[in-house]
Amino acid sequence: MGRFGWEMQKHFPMLSSNAYLKLQFARRAKSQKAYIDFFNAAGEVPHPLIVNIETVNRCNSDCAFCTASRANEKRPFCRMDDELFKSIIDQLADWGFKGHLTLYGNNEPWIDTAIVERHKYCREVLPDSFIFMSTNGLLLDIDKVKSIVPYVDQLIINNYCDDMKLHDNIKEIYDYVVANPDEFGDVEILIQMRYIKAVLTNRAGTAPNKAATEKVITETCLMPYTDMFIFPDGRMGLCCCDNLERTTLADLTKEPLQEAWQSVAYKEARKQIAGGRQNYPFCKHCDFIDAGLRMDAVSDVLNGRKMRGARQSMFARKNS
């Protein structure tokens, strides 16, 4: 199926993208609505399920579908201030956050030279959160893998290419991990083969290789209910599709994190998007849909299970 999907993306890009999205919208509509109803009915606004902190707004890859690629990035360079970063993590701890956390948005995390130290701080302050890193692996080597794994539950290495072959450095990492499994017993390492020229979603009209059409998307979206998306300057945008930073729902340099999550702008966005993306101008033609993580987290909540984001429960599953 991996080979089939790759060939479809390569030879029939629009057909592959649109067929996949149609299937996912159909499969996930019921669960999305159920979680939105749960969120809106809660007496106290629930925690976000996933917190995304983009600590630096740059990438070193050339993915055709991404506005953050080297050729397409238009934002002024910004790296998150250390004091602001620690304040955000401290506030999450004070709030009792135990969900998924990633120091990644539309960027390559290893461009941030303090990325290991920042993950270490997150692990110390948020011991029960599920911390994961997603990287294109271009800057990665075995020593860097060893440096980060004590602080993450999952390391995702996306091998973007056009020939379905591992880059030399990623092949070296793969071979080392396979040969030394005892060194990585407490972390899940996923190496994913990704087609660098894939057509995925239009990302609210910002995807370089898939412009938004005039088609109005009437399905709802989980993102404003599940995700807290924080730009490097501390502003909170609607979601990862806002790579051009057109939305500002709150500003963590001006207001506390918990209050920001319940801001008037957030409430209005959720209210409008609950009835369909057509009600919120930024989302009106956006065909983005979650790739799986959010649906897993939503399923846990709706079924009364402890979120799979909990570090302790993940270890228990590994050892069962």
Side-chain angles (χ1 to χ4, degrees), residues 222-243:
L222 280 175
M223 299 296 278
Y225 293 90
T226 58
D227 281 56
M228 178 181 286
F229 196 88
I230 305 172
F231 299 131
D233 63 2
R235 288 179 300 118
M236 295 170 66
L238 185 66
C239 67
C240 60
C241 292
D242 187 15
N243 188 56

Side-chain angles (χ1 to χ4, degrees), residues 43-58:
E44 182 178 342
V45 176
H47 288 137
L49 303 183
I50 302 102
V51 173
N52 312 265
I53 304 175
E54 189 177 66
T55 68
V56 62
N57 63 356
R58 283 295 181 273

Side-chain angles (χ1 to χ4, degrees), residues 2-56:
R3 170 63 71 174
F4 175 77
W6 177 279
E7 296 297 338
M8 285 293 294
Q9 287 185 343
K10 188 169 186 176
H11 299 291
F12 307 98
M14 290 303 297
L15 174 63
S16 173
S17 172
N18 293 333
Y20 172 81
L21 292 173
K22 185 174 182 179
L23 172 64
Q24 296 307 325
F25 275 121
R27 287 180 58 193
R28 301 176 186 197
K30 184 176 180 180
S31 294
Q32 286 190 141
K33 184 180 185 304
Y35 185 75
I36 290 172
D37 290 344
F38 161 82
F39 188 102
N40 288 331
E44 182 178 342
V45 176
H47 288 137
L49 303 183
I50 302 102
V51 173
N52 312 265
I53 304 175
E54 189 177 66
T55 68
V56 62

